[in-house]
Amino acid sequence: MTIVNVVIAVLLLCQVCSFGQTKVDLKGQGKNIDFRSANNTYPFKNGSAIPSNCTLGEVFFLTSGASGLNVYLCTQDGVWSLQGIVSPVGIADGSFLTTGATTLQWKSLNGDVSGTPGALKVQGLQSLPVSATVPQTGQVLQWDGTSWRGQTVNGSPGTISFESNGSVVGTKGLVDFLPGFGLTSALTNTATKLTVQYFVDTSKIVSRASLQTGADLACRSAGASATDYACAMTPTLAAYGTGMQINWKPDVNGSGGATGLEIDSLGPKSIKLADGLTDPLPGDIVAGRLQQLWFDGTVFRLVAAASNVVAAEGTRPACAVAYRGKIWHQFSDAGTKDNVAVCAKDGIDGYGWRTLY
């Protein structure tokens, strides 16, 4: 290098020094700028107070703000807007952050559940408490009137096992209690069990007490007819049944011949002797004397064999073939002998009462 060149270089260096430090405009002169190796990088303006004015797009870091509440953006000229979620603080650990219509708030668990998110505990169902007693294997949760508690149920949950003399006969999910004919039932639901109690319907089933009174089979006539009787039973007879028996008490003496009996307005039925064919004779039906009848499906039959004595009082009927062998025994007052006769046929086939005493 010549002396001239050295002088020119010194003069240029002095000229640069005389103008001060030169600043680089990164916007116009920078290219592929990489700040990863920089000792410090400050992309935002910062300070302990927000500037009073701003230009749209500016960003400011508030050093005095709480963590998460530091960054402000100029959303329009002169307006700074805080960026991020405004979250309430100071709530007990384990609370949940919930949102309302316009704000966020921390809430603790309550109602049917309690505890922290990592140790959540169900303490009720439909606001009813759950027992703290640990359930056993196979038990199901049942309400005992005070709390939901583990209970043992026969069969799988939702089913009931039925036993007969200790042996399982079936498993069903529904029980229907049907009392059956002549029975009534009462169900009592307590806090721990369901009690089913059955009672006999005495209007349909005869009890020992009512059978001893004889009232269930009694039928008393009050029609004042010697051939067409009517009587009533308690309870009222619903229908005539083949084989049914009654204890009948006539109100007047039967006159003999065709005779009928109607019970509780069910329609009259003929009364026959034990053979089911022969009409009663005078003296077979006596007022106030208990007569046992049974219904053969068509007629009422007198159970007891016809008495060989026609009557003990009243007018003696004429002796005829129907009275053959019958005895007429008429009781007399004190000091007077009884009259006893028998209806018999003589050698010319004539019938008449033959005096025996």
Side-chain angles (χ1 to χ4, degrees), residues 153-156 158-163 169-179 185-187 194-198:
V153 177
N154 292 332
S156 59
T159 64
I160 299 176
S161 295
F162 295 89
E163 296 182 356
V169 296
T171 302
K172 300 296 180 182
L174 179 66
V175 179
D176 186 9
F177 295 99
L178 300 177
S185 61
L187 275 70
L194 179 68
T195 302
V196 183
Q197 189 171 10
Y198 289 98

Side-chain angles (χ1 to χ4, degrees), residues 155-319:
S156 59
T159 64
I160 299 176
S161 295
F162 295 89
E163 296 182 356
S164 177
N165 294 327
S167 299
V168 177
V169 296
T171 302
K172 300 296 180 182
L174 179 66
V175 179
D176 186 9
F177 295 99
L178 300 177
F181 179 80
L183 297 175
T184 59
S185 61
L187 275 70
T188 304
N189 188 9
T190 65
T192 57
K193 65 181 178 180
L194 179 68
T195 302
V196 183
Q197 189 171 10
Y198 289 98
F199 304 90
V200 173
D201 185 352
T202 55
S203 67
K204 297 178 180 179
I205 295 181
V206 178
S207 66
R208 178 187 297 178
S210 64
L211 184 61
Q212 289 174 334
T213 66
D216 291 311
L217 298 180
C219 196
R220 297 175 176 84
S221 291
S225 172
T227 56
D228 298 315
Y229 293 91
C231 68
M233 301 186 72
T234 302
T236 301
L237 185 65
Y240 296 122
T242 301
M244 65 172 287
Q245 297 186 28
I246 65 168
N247 295 329
W248 174 47
K249 186 178 180 181
D251 56 328
V252 295
N253 293 330
S255 59
T259 305
L261 172 65
E262 182 178 18
I263 303 176
D264 290 330
S265 302
L266 293 175
K269 298 294 181 181
S270 296
I271 298 177
K272 300 292 183 180
L273 298 183
D275 61 6
L277 300 173
T278 306
D279 290 328
L281 300 174
D284 286 336
I285 298 175
V286 181
R289 182 182 298 173
L290 185 68
Q291 305 273 183
Q292 285 189 317
L293 303 177
W294 74 279
F295 186 66
D296 66 3
T298 303
V299 300
F300 284 109
R301 300 190 188 194
L302 287 164
V303 174
S307 173
N308 202 41
V309 178
V310 176
E313 60 184 11
T315 303
R316 187 174 69 182
C319 180

